[in-house]
Amino acid sequence: MLRIYIIGISILFIAIISNIIAKQIGISTWYDFLTSFAEDSSKNFTILDYSWLFVFYPFILGMGYKIGDFLLNLLKL
């Protein structure tokens, strides 16, 4: 149970940092993408936005898992 929690915290930490960086450099986040459906938004998403949301962001979250797993193995928990 502790293993799942620590890996989850690692993924969450990486997700927060990734979203902050994406927002600062002007790439749409999942929040922007999902709210565009709820609002009558005419926001045009670029190929970079879609690449970020469906390729790079999931890869980065997967790396968050690997970081959490590495830390657990390092601590032998």
PDB file of all heavy atoms in Angstrom, residues 18-40:
ATOM      1  N   SER A  18       4.724  19.643 -14.591  1.00  0.00           N
ATOM      2  CA  SER A  18       4.541  19.631 -16.042  1.00  0.00           C
ATOM      3  C   SER A  18       3.463  20.616 -16.479  1.00  0.00           C
ATOM      4  O   SER A  18       3.620  21.320 -17.477  1.00  0.00           O
ATOM      5  CB  SER A  18       4.164  18.229 -16.522  1.00  0.00           C
ATOM      6  OG  SER A  18       5.181  17.325 -16.238  1.00  0.00           O
ATOM      7  N   ASN A  19       2.360  20.661 -15.735  1.00  0.00           N
ATOM      8  CA  ASN A  19       1.284  21.589 -16.078  1.00  0.00           C
ATOM      9  C   ASN A  19       1.705  23.044 -15.895  1.00  0.00           C
ATOM     10  O   ASN A  19       1.325  23.902 -16.695  1.00  0.00           O
ATOM     11  CB  ASN A  19       0.033  21.285 -15.257  1.00  0.00           C
ATOM     12  CG  ASN A  19      -0.727  20.116 -15.812  1.00  0.00           C
ATOM     13  OD1 ASN A  19      -0.955  20.033 -17.005  1.00  0.00           O
ATOM     14  ND2 ASN A  19      -1.105  19.205 -14.954  1.00  0.00           N
ATOM     15  N   ILE A  20       2.468  23.323 -14.861  1.00  0.00           N
ATOM     16  CA  ILE A  20       2.959  24.691 -14.647  1.00  0.00           C
ATOM     17  C   ILE A  20       3.863  25.107 -15.804  1.00  0.00           C
ATOM     18  O   ILE A  20       3.709  26.203 -16.359  1.00  0.00           O
ATOM     19  CB  ILE A  20       3.688  24.799 -13.294  1.00  0.00           C
ATOM     20  CG1 ILE A  20       2.690  24.693 -12.144  1.00  0.00           C
ATOM     21  CG2 ILE A  20       4.485  26.100 -13.201  1.00  0.00           C
ATOM     22  CD1 ILE A  20       3.327  24.550 -10.779  1.00  0.00           C
ATOM     23  N   ILE A  21       4.771  24.243 -16.184  1.00  0.00           N
ATOM     24  CA  ILE A  21       5.695  24.553 -17.284  1.00  0.00           C
ATOM     25  C   ILE A  21       4.931  24.709 -18.600  1.00  0.00           C
ATOM     26  O   ILE A  21       5.179  25.651 -19.367  1.00  0.00           O
ATOM     27  CB  ILE A  21       6.797  23.483 -17.392  1.00  0.00           C
ATOM     28  CG1 ILE A  21       7.714  23.560 -16.171  1.00  0.00           C
ATOM     29  CG2 ILE A  21       7.596  23.644 -18.679  1.00  0.00           C
ATOM     30  CD1 ILE A  21       8.691  22.405 -16.044  1.00  0.00           C
ATOM     31  N   ALA A  22       3.985  23.808 -18.868  1.00  0.00           N
ATOM     32  CA  ALA A  22       3.203  23.886 -20.105  1.00  0.00           C
ATOM     33  C   ALA A  22       2.439  25.201 -20.175  1.00  0.00           C
ATOM     34  O   ALA A  22       2.398  25.848 -21.228  1.00  0.00           O
ATOM     35  CB  ALA A  22       2.246  22.707 -20.202  1.00  0.00           C
ATOM     36  N   LYS A  23       1.848  25.592 -19.080  1.00  0.00           N
ATOM     37  CA  LYS A  23       1.087  26.838 -19.047  1.00  0.00           C
ATOM     38  C   LYS A  23       1.998  28.033 -19.283  1.00  0.00           C
ATOM     39  O   LYS A  23       1.634  28.970 -20.000  1.00  0.00           O
ATOM     40  CB  LYS A  23       0.385  26.949 -17.695  1.00  0.00           C
ATOM     41  CG  LYS A  23      -0.844  27.755 -17.690  1.00  0.00           C
ATOM     42  CD  LYS A  23      -1.825  27.231 -18.694  1.00  0.00           C
ATOM     43  CE  LYS A  23      -3.192  27.748 -18.405  1.00  0.00           C
ATOM     44  NZ  LYS A  23      -4.074  27.629 -19.547  1.00  0.00           N
ATOM     45  N   GLN A  24       3.203  28.014 -18.699  1.00  0.00           N
ATOM     46  CA  GLN A  24       4.131  29.137 -18.848  1.00  0.00           C
ATOM     47  C   GLN A  24       4.638  29.287 -20.279  1.00  0.00           C
ATOM     48  O   GLN A  24       4.902  30.395 -20.718  1.00  0.00           O
ATOM     49  CB  GLN A  24       5.310  28.986 -17.898  1.00  0.00           C
ATOM     50  CG  GLN A  24       4.957  29.283 -16.471  1.00  0.00           C
ATOM     51  CD  GLN A  24       6.150  29.170 -15.540  1.00  0.00           C
ATOM     52  OE1 GLN A  24       7.161  28.562 -15.875  1.00  0.00           O
ATOM     53  NE2 GLN A  24       6.025  29.736 -14.360  1.00  0.00           N
ATOM     54  N   ILE A  25       4.758  28.172 -21.004  1.00  0.00           N
ATOM     55  CA  ILE A  25       5.260  28.284 -22.379  1.00  0.00           C
ATOM     56  C   ILE A  25       4.121  28.322 -23.401  1.00  0.00           C
ATOM     57  O   ILE A  25       4.370  28.364 -24.598  1.00  0.00           O
ATOM     58  CB  ILE A  25       6.263  27.165 -22.733  1.00  0.00           C
ATOM     59  CG1 ILE A  25       5.633  25.777 -22.610  1.00  0.00           C
ATOM     60  CG2 ILE A  25       7.497  27.270 -21.872  1.00  0.00           C
ATOM     61  CD1 ILE A  25       6.564  24.655 -23.019  1.00  0.00           C
ATOM     62  N   GLY A  26       2.875  28.340 -22.918  1.00  0.00           N
ATOM     63  CA  GLY A  26       1.736  28.567 -23.794  1.00  0.00           C
ATOM     64  C   GLY A  26       1.150  27.331 -24.443  1.00  0.00           C
ATOM     65  O   GLY A  26       0.458  27.437 -25.455  1.00  0.00           O
ATOM     66  N   ILE A  27       1.397  26.160 -23.878  1.00  0.00           N
ATOM     67  CA  ILE A  27       0.816  24.936 -24.402  1.00  0.00           C
ATOM     68  C   ILE A  27      -0.443  24.628 -23.606  1.00  0.00           C
ATOM     69  O   ILE A  27      -0.475  24.783 -22.385  1.00  0.00           O
ATOM     70  CB  ILE A  27       1.815  23.761 -24.297  1.00  0.00           C
ATOM     71  CG1 ILE A  27       3.069  24.069 -25.114  1.00  0.00           C
ATOM     72  CG2 ILE A  27       1.176  22.470 -24.771  1.00  0.00           C
ATOM     73  CD1 ILE A  27       4.166  23.027 -24.945  1.00  0.00           C
ATOM     74  N   SER A  28      -1.482  24.190 -24.298  1.00  0.00           N
ATOM     75  CA  SER A  28      -2.745  23.876 -23.632  1.00  0.00           C
ATOM     76  C   SER A  28      -2.593  22.664 -22.725  1.00  0.00           C
ATOM     77  O   SER A  28      -1.900  21.707 -23.056  1.00  0.00           O
ATOM     78  CB  SER A  28      -3.828  23.600 -24.669  1.00  0.00           C
ATOM     79  OG  SER A  28      -4.099  24.758 -25.407  1.00  0.00           O
ATOM     80  N   THR A  29      -3.281  22.726 -21.594  1.00  0.00           N
ATOM     81  CA  THR A  29      -3.277  21.616 -20.647  1.00  0.00           C
ATOM     82  C   THR A  29      -4.595  20.853 -20.775  1.00  0.00           C
ATOM     83  O   THR A  29      -5.488  21.249 -21.531  1.00  0.00           O
ATOM     84  CB  THR A  29      -3.117  22.124 -19.204  1.00  0.00           C
ATOM     85  OG1 THR A  29      -4.246  22.953 -18.892  1.00  0.00           O
ATOM     86  CG2 THR A  29      -1.829  22.918 -19.033  1.00  0.00           C
ATOM     87  N   TRP A  30      -4.722  19.759 -20.022  1.00  0.00           N
ATOM     88  CA  TRP A  30      -5.968  19.004 -20.048  1.00  0.00           C
ATOM     89  C   TRP A  30      -7.136  19.848 -19.576  1.00  0.00           C
ATOM     90  O   TRP A  30      -8.253  19.694 -20.067  1.00  0.00           O
ATOM     91  CB  TRP A  30      -5.844  17.732 -19.201  1.00  0.00           C
ATOM     92  CG  TRP A  30      -5.164  16.660 -19.957  1.00  0.00           C
ATOM     93  CD1 TRP A  30      -3.902  16.194 -19.770  1.00  0.00           C
ATOM     94  CD2 TRP A  30      -5.684  15.924 -21.062  1.00  0.00           C
ATOM     95  NE1 TRP A  30      -3.605  15.222 -20.684  1.00  0.00           N
ATOM     96  CE2 TRP A  30      -4.691  15.026 -21.496  1.00  0.00           C
ATOM     97  CE3 TRP A  30      -6.907  15.932 -21.738  1.00  0.00           C
ATOM     98  CZ2 TRP A  30      -4.877  14.155 -22.561  1.00  0.00           C
ATOM     99  CZ3 TRP A  30      -7.086  15.057 -22.792  1.00  0.00           C
ATOM    100  CH2 TRP A  30      -6.088  14.188 -23.186  1.00  0.00           C
ATOM    101  N   TYR A  31      -6.894  20.733 -18.639  1.00  0.00           N
ATOM    102  CA  TYR A  31      -7.965  21.607 -18.162  1.00  0.00           C
ATOM    103  C   TYR A  31      -8.492  22.464 -19.311  1.00  0.00           C
ATOM    104  O   TYR A  31      -9.697  22.594 -19.504  1.00  0.00           O
ATOM    105  CB  TYR A  31      -7.464  22.485 -17.015  1.00  0.00           C
ATOM    106  CG  TYR A  31      -8.529  23.411 -16.479  1.00  0.00           C
ATOM    107  CD1 TYR A  31      -9.518  22.929 -15.627  1.00  0.00           C
ATOM    108  CD2 TYR A  31      -8.558  24.748 -16.838  1.00  0.00           C
ATOM    109  CE1 TYR A  31     -10.508  23.764 -15.151  1.00  0.00           C
ATOM    110  CE2 TYR A  31      -9.546  25.588 -16.370  1.00  0.00           C
ATOM    111  CZ  TYR A  31     -10.518  25.095 -15.526  1.00  0.00           C
ATOM    112  OH  TYR A  31     -11.513  25.917 -15.056  1.00  0.00           O
ATOM    113  N   ASP A  32      -7.587  23.052 -20.085  1.00  0.00           N
ATOM    114  CA  ASP A  32      -7.994  23.861 -21.239  1.00  0.00           C
ATOM    115  C   ASP A  32      -8.767  23.036 -22.254  1.00  0.00           C
ATOM    116  O   ASP A  32      -9.775  23.470 -22.814  1.00  0.00           O
ATOM    117  CB  ASP A  32      -6.764  24.471 -21.926  1.00  0.00           C
ATOM    118  CG  ASP A  32      -5.955  25.360 -21.016  1.00  0.00           C
ATOM    119  OD1 ASP A  32      -6.554  26.057 -20.167  1.00  0.00           O
ATOM    120  OD2 ASP A  32      -4.710  25.357 -21.139  1.00  0.00           O
ATOM    121  N   PHE A  33      -8.266  21.832 -22.504  1.00  0.00           N
ATOM    122  CA  PHE A  33      -8.873  20.951 -23.497  1.00  0.00           C
ATOM    123  C   PHE A  33     -10.289  20.554 -23.085  1.00  0.00           C
ATOM    124  O   PHE A  33     -11.221  20.619 -23.884  1.00  0.00           O
ATOM    125  CB  PHE A  33      -7.990  19.718 -23.676  1.00  0.00           C
ATOM    126  CG  PHE A  33      -8.453  18.766 -24.733  1.00  0.00           C
ATOM    127  CD1 PHE A  33      -8.382  19.112 -26.074  1.00  0.00           C
ATOM    128  CD2 PHE A  33      -8.949  17.518 -24.392  1.00  0.00           C
ATOM    129  CE1 PHE A  33      -8.801  18.230 -27.057  1.00  0.00           C
ATOM    130  CE2 PHE A  33      -9.363  16.633 -25.361  1.00  0.00           C
ATOM    131  CZ  PHE A  33      -9.292  16.993 -26.708  1.00  0.00           C
ATOM    132  N   LEU A  34     -10.455  20.145 -21.826  1.00  0.00           N
ATOM    133  CA  LEU A  34     -11.769  19.691 -21.377  1.00  0.00           C
ATOM    134  C   LEU A  34     -12.766  20.829 -21.221  1.00  0.00           C
ATOM    135  O   LEU A  34     -13.949  20.669 -21.515  1.00  0.00           O
ATOM    136  CB  LEU A  34     -11.632  18.912 -20.069  1.00  0.00           C
ATOM    137  CG  LEU A  34     -10.868  17.593 -20.202  1.00  0.00           C
ATOM    138  CD1 LEU A  34     -10.673  16.960 -18.833  1.00  0.00           C
ATOM    139  CD2 LEU A  34     -11.578  16.644 -21.141  1.00  0.00           C
ATOM    140  N   THR A  35     -12.312  21.986 -20.780  1.00  0.00           N
ATOM    141  CA  THR A  35     -13.234  23.112 -20.633  1.00  0.00           C
ATOM    142  C   THR A  35     -13.644  23.684 -21.981  1.00  0.00           C
ATOM    143  O   THR A  35     -14.674  24.343 -22.073  1.00  0.00           O
ATOM    144  CB  THR A  35     -12.643  24.234 -19.752  1.00  0.00           C
ATOM    145  OG1 THR A  35     -11.400  24.655 -20.296  1.00  0.00           O
ATOM    146  CG2 THR A  35     -12.487  23.779 -18.323  1.00  0.00           C
ATOM    147  N   SER A  36     -12.872  23.418 -23.023  1.00  0.00           N
ATOM    148  CA  SER A  36     -13.262  23.900 -24.350  1.00  0.00           C
ATOM    149  C   SER A  36     -14.547  23.209 -24.814  1.00  0.00           C
ATOM    150  O   SER A  36     -15.296  23.758 -25.616  1.00  0.00           O
ATOM    151  CB  SER A  36     -12.146  23.689 -25.363  1.00  0.00           C
ATOM    152  OG  SER A  36     -11.996  22.321 -25.685  1.00  0.00           O
ATOM    153  N   PHE A  37     -14.841  22.005 -24.315  1.00  0.00           N
ATOM    154  CA  PHE A  37     -16.080  21.313 -24.655  1.00  0.00           C
ATOM    155  C   PHE A  37     -17.257  21.894 -23.876  1.00  0.00           C
ATOM    156  O   PHE A  37     -18.361  21.983 -24.398  1.00  0.00           O
ATOM    157  CB  PHE A  37     -15.970  19.816 -24.357  1.00  0.00           C
ATOM    158  CG  PHE A  37     -14.999  19.102 -25.238  1.00  0.00           C
ATOM    159  CD1 PHE A  37     -13.860  18.530 -24.698  1.00  0.00           C
ATOM    160  CD2 PHE A  37     -15.205  19.008 -26.596  1.00  0.00           C
ATOM    161  CE1 PHE A  37     -12.952  17.866 -25.495  1.00  0.00           C
ATOM    162  CE2 PHE A  37     -14.307  18.344 -27.409  1.00  0.00           C
ATOM    163  CZ  PHE A  37     -13.179  17.776 -26.864  1.00  0.00           C
ATOM    164  N   ALA A  38     -17.011  22.245 -22.633  1.00  0.00           N
ATOM    165  CA  ALA A  38     -18.081  22.757 -21.779  1.00  0.00           C
ATOM    166  C   ALA A  38     -18.478  24.185 -22.164  1.00  0.00           C
ATOM    167  O   ALA A  38     -19.643  24.559 -22.067  1.00  0.00           O
ATOM    168  CB  ALA A  38     -17.656  22.707 -20.321  1.00  0.00           C
ATOM    169  N   GLU A  39     -17.509  24.959 -22.586  1.00  0.00           N
ATOM    170  CA  GLU A  39     -17.777  26.342 -22.970  1.00  0.00           C
ATOM    171  C   GLU A  39     -18.023  26.391 -24.475  1.00  0.00           C
ATOM    172  O   GLU A  39     -17.726  25.462 -25.198  1.00  0.00           O
ATOM    173  CB  GLU A  39     -16.571  27.222 -22.631  1.00  0.00           C
ATOM    174  CG  GLU A  39     -16.224  27.236 -21.164  1.00  0.00           C
ATOM    175  CD  GLU A  39     -14.902  27.926 -20.894  1.00  0.00           C
ATOM    176  OE1 GLU A  39     -14.195  28.268 -21.854  1.00  0.00           O
ATOM    177  OE2 GLU A  39     -14.588  28.093 -19.713  1.00  0.00           O
ATOM    178  N   ASP A  40     -18.534  27.491 -24.919  1.00  0.00           N
ATOM    179  CA  ASP A  40     -18.671  27.674 -26.354  1.00  0.00           C
ATOM    180  C   ASP A  40     -17.386  28.325 -26.845  1.00  0.00           C
ATOM    181  O   ASP A  40     -17.369  29.451 -27.320  1.00  0.00           O
ATOM    182  CB  ASP A  40     -19.885  28.558 -26.647  1.00  0.00           C
ATOM    183  CG  ASP A  40     -20.596  28.140 -27.903  1.00  0.00           C
ATOM    184  OD1 ASP A  40     -20.262  27.065 -28.428  1.00  0.00           O
ATOM    185  OD2 ASP A  40     -21.475  28.883 -28.350  1.00  0.00           O
TER     186      ASP A  40
END
